[in-house]
């Protein structure tokens, strides 16, 4: 059974939670203990630690400890939430890194298939790869969003690591990746060759400055994501408390929590990972709040995707010189979509995905005879 890979939450956490008031988050979470395993059929969100960091860029042979993180998280107060939450414990590092990948893939796949959102914490970011592989049996193409200062493409001969996992996702069969989006890359951390490759593959990349100047620019990207992977090194050290690897520039605490909430509020996001935790108590405080905002977002999902009916949307037709663009605006949330005409026979898994999230600014640009870059890339990708 897939859940046999999970070890129970430690006694120290259980004792801590037992000492909390009934109003704290920890008192509203079901825990995997030595004597009990939560009823999966009653869970919407599952928290899982993965104690694997052997593929980290600067691997230090020390055990990952998520005790501080869990105490920070469960000591918070929840919002007006309806979604049931469980802490399923930890996946302990296997005899090899591949063994850990296998366990993560099996556990995540089982949860996703049941409509449960796994929140993966701890470990190095190469764990995004088995999280992606968890969709192999879901019969769908996958959109991955990474909040990261680097693209993590690396070179094929390097093998998989926290700085090269994306190349394995792009190249390995079965290839279920439809789109990759990076939020917050910093140019000086990425070679021109990598930047050109992202453009050549019609992937999306937003520089740190773009998002910091207008955080709402990222929202449509998350609305179309299946997996969201956060590299904590994308947060500047003065906010994360991580001075093991000093990061002078990056997102601040408010921005990373806003991006996390966008992830949660997306109707489509079905798995969420926070990686490269450097095991400092200061960083644990930030991670706890990132998770809190993701769960907050999940509880405020509007269930607009996929469209059940278009009656609750206003339709806008924008005639251009060579194209006729069709936009939809939700009467409920004010969010926008643009229609994409996929070739049904080319990617039969995509035949129903004809609406792409976009922003009002992109609609206004189209009214000025400017084709939205998001639409253009999606059409070109369909022709590859």
């Amino acid at each position: 059974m897939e859940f046999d890979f999970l070890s129970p939450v430690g006694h120290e956490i259980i004792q801590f939670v037992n000492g909390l008031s009934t109003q704290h988050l920890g008192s509203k979470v079901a825990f995997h203990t030595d004597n009990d395993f939560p009823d999966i059929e009653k869970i919407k969100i599952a928290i899982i630690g993965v104690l694997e960091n052997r593929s980290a860029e600067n691997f230090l042979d020390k055990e990952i400890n998520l005790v501080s993180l869990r105490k920070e998280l469960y000591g918070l107060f929840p919002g007006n939430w309806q979604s049931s939450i469980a802490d399923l414990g930890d996946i302990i590092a296997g005899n090899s890194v591949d063994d850990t990948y296998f366990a993560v893939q099996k556990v995540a796949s089982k949860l996703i298939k049941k409509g449960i959102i796994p929140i993966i914490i701890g470990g190095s970011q190469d764990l995004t790869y088995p999280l992606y592989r968890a969709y192999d049996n879901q019969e769908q193409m996958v959109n991955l969003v990474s909040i990261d200062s680097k693209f993590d493409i690396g070179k094929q001969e390097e093998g998989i690591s926290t700085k090269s996992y994306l190349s394995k996702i792009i190249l390995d069969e079965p290839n279920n990746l439809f789109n990759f989006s990076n939020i917050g890359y910093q140019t000086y951390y990425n070679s021109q060759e990598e930047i050109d490759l992202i453009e050549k593959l019609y992937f999306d990349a937003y520089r740190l400055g773009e998002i910091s100047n207008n955080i709402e620019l990222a929202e449509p990207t998350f609305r179309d994501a299946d997996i969201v992977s956060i590299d904590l090194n994308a947060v500047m050290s003065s906010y994360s408390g991580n001075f093991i690897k000093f990061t002078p520039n990056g997102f601040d605490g408010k921005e990373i929590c806003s991006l996390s909430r966008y992830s949660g509020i997306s109707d489509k996001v079905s798995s969420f990972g926070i990686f490269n935790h450097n095991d400092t108590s200061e960083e644990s405080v930030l991670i706890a709040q990132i998770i809190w905002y993701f769960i907050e977002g999940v509880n405020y999902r509007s269930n607009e995707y996929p469209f059940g009916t278009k009656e609750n949307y206003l339709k806008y037709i924008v005639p251009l010189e060579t194209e006729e663009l069709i936009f939809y605006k939700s009467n409920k949330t004010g969010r926008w979509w643009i229609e994409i005409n996929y070739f049904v026979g080319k990617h039969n898994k995509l035949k129903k995905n004809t609406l792409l999230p976009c922003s009002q600014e992109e609609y206004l640009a189209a009214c000025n005879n400017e084709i939205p870059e998001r639409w253009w890339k999606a059409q070109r990708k369909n022709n590859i």
Side-chain angles (χ1 to χ4, degrees), residues 97-149:
V97 176
D98 285 339
D99 290 338
T100 310
Y101 290 165
F102 180 81
V104 172
Q105 178 181 342
K106 289 297 182 182
V107 171
S109 179
K110 182 76 170 182
L111 294 172
I112 293 165
K113 193 168 185 178
K114 285 186 167 292
I116 301 168
I117 303 171
I119 298 177
I120 307 296
I121 54 175
S124 46
Q125 201 182 13
D126 54 293
L127 292 166
T128 304
Y129 174 72
L131 193 56
Y132 160 72
R133 289 267 74 104
Y135 290 80
D136 285 353
N137 297 321
Q138 306 299 323
E139 297 184 352
Q140 67 173 85
M141 298 297 283
V142 178
N143 291 337
L144 166 64
V145 174
S146 175
I147 302 173
D148 200 338
S149 60

Side-chain angles (χ1 to χ4, degrees), residues 26-315:
S27 299
K28 303 179 185 301
V29 173
F31 289 92
H32 174 196
T33 66
D34 290 332
N35 303 316
D36 191 30
F37 193 88
D39 184 350
I40 293 297
E41 303 300 328
K42 297 180 179 178
I43 297 171
K44 176 63 180 176
I45 297 169
I47 296 169
I48 300 168
V50 183
L51 311 184
E52 174 65 79
N53 63 355
R54 283 173 286 182
S55 296
E57 188 172 353
N58 298 304
F59 169 61
L60 297 175
D61 189 13
K62 74 171 188 175
E63 187 176 335
I64 299 173
N65 190 330
L66 301 178
V67 172
S68 175
L69 194 161
R70 282 185 163 103
K71 286 183 177 180
E72 292 291 344
L73 176 62
Y74 298 135
L76 299 175
F77 292 98
N80 185 22
W81 300 344
Q82 304 301 319
S83 299
S84 52
I85 305 168
D87 188 330
L88 299 185
D90 297 324
I91 294 175
I92 297 173
N95 291 329
S96 69
V97 176
D98 285 339
D99 290 338
T100 310
Y101 290 165
F102 180 81
V104 172
Q105 178 181 342
K106 289 297 182 182
V107 171
S109 179
K110 182 76 170 182
L111 294 172
I112 293 165
K113 193 168 185 178
K114 285 186 167 292
I116 301 168
I117 303 171
I119 298 177
I120 307 296
I121 54 175
S124 46
Q125 201 182 13
D126 54 293
L127 292 166
T128 304
Y129 174 72
L131 193 56
Y132 160 72
R133 289 267 74 104
Y135 290 80
D136 285 353
N137 297 321
Q138 306 299 323
E139 297 184 352
Q140 67 173 85
M141 298 297 283
V142 178
N143 291 337
L144 166 64
V145 174
S146 175
I147 302 173
D148 200 338
S149 60
K150 302 176 182 179
F151 295 134
D152 297 326
I153 296 176
K155 297 180 180 179
Q156 188 175 1
E157 59 268 21
E158 291 178 354
I160 186 169
S161 73
T162 191
K163 63 178 181 178
S164 63
Y165 71 89
L166 184 58
S167 59
K168 191 168 180 63
I169 288 177
I170 294 172
L171 296 171
D172 269 19
E173 297 288 343
N175 193 332
N176 302 321
L177 183 69
F178 179 66
N179 193 42
F180 167 76
S181 301
N182 170 279
I183 303 291
Y185 81 95
Q186 298 175 40
T187 308
Y188 38 74
Y189 286 143
N190 300 276
S191 69
Q192 191 58 49
E193 183 182 7
E194 289 176 303
I195 295 172
D196 291 343
L197 180 60
I198 292 293
E199 188 67 26
K200 182 180 179 180
L201 294 173
Y202 303 112
F203 290 158
D204 302 312
Y206 299 89
R207 292 179 64 177
L208 172 66
E210 290 181 87
I211 303 300
S212 293
N213 289 333
N214 180 13
I215 196 78
E216 293 180 4
L217 183 65
E219 188 275 329
T221 301
F222 289 112
R223 213 186 322 152
D224 202 38
D226 298 289
I227 307 169
V228 175
S229 171
I230 297 179
D231 183 342
L232 286 166
N233 293 315
V235 181
M236 65 179 90
S237 292
S238 55
Y239 283 88
S240 70
N242 171 25
F243 292 98
I244 295 174
K245 181 178 181 182
F246 181 65
T247 306
N249 291 305
F251 291 114
D252 63 28
K254 180 180 178 182
E255 289 166 345
I256 194 67
C257 287
S258 294
L259 296 175
S260 180
R261 191 176 190 277
Y262 282 147
S263 303
I265 211 168
S266 165
D267 293 322
K268 198 166 183 278
V269 170
S270 52
S271 61
F272 184 72
I274 305 173
F275 303 108
N276 290 339
H277 174 28
N278 284 285
D279 204 15
T280 62
S281 57
E282 293 83 4
E283 197 173 59
S284 293
V285 176
L286 178 64
I287 298 172
Q289 293 183 15
I290 291 172
I291 295 171
W292 189 97
Y293 273 100
F294 177 76
I295 298 173
E296 169 89 343
V298 171
N299 279 272
Y300 284 93
R301 290 186 172 185
S302 56
N303 299 315
E304 290 184 314
Y305 180 90
F307 284 8
T309 173
K310 293 179 181 175
E311 294 178 1
N312 297 321
Y313 302 84
L314 291 175
K315 182 178 180 180

Side-chain angles (χ1 to χ4, degrees), residues 364-376:
L364 295 174
C367 291
N368 289 323
N369 208 35
E370 297 177 19
I371 293 180
E373 185 177 3
R374 195 188 310 270
W375 181 91
W376 183 85

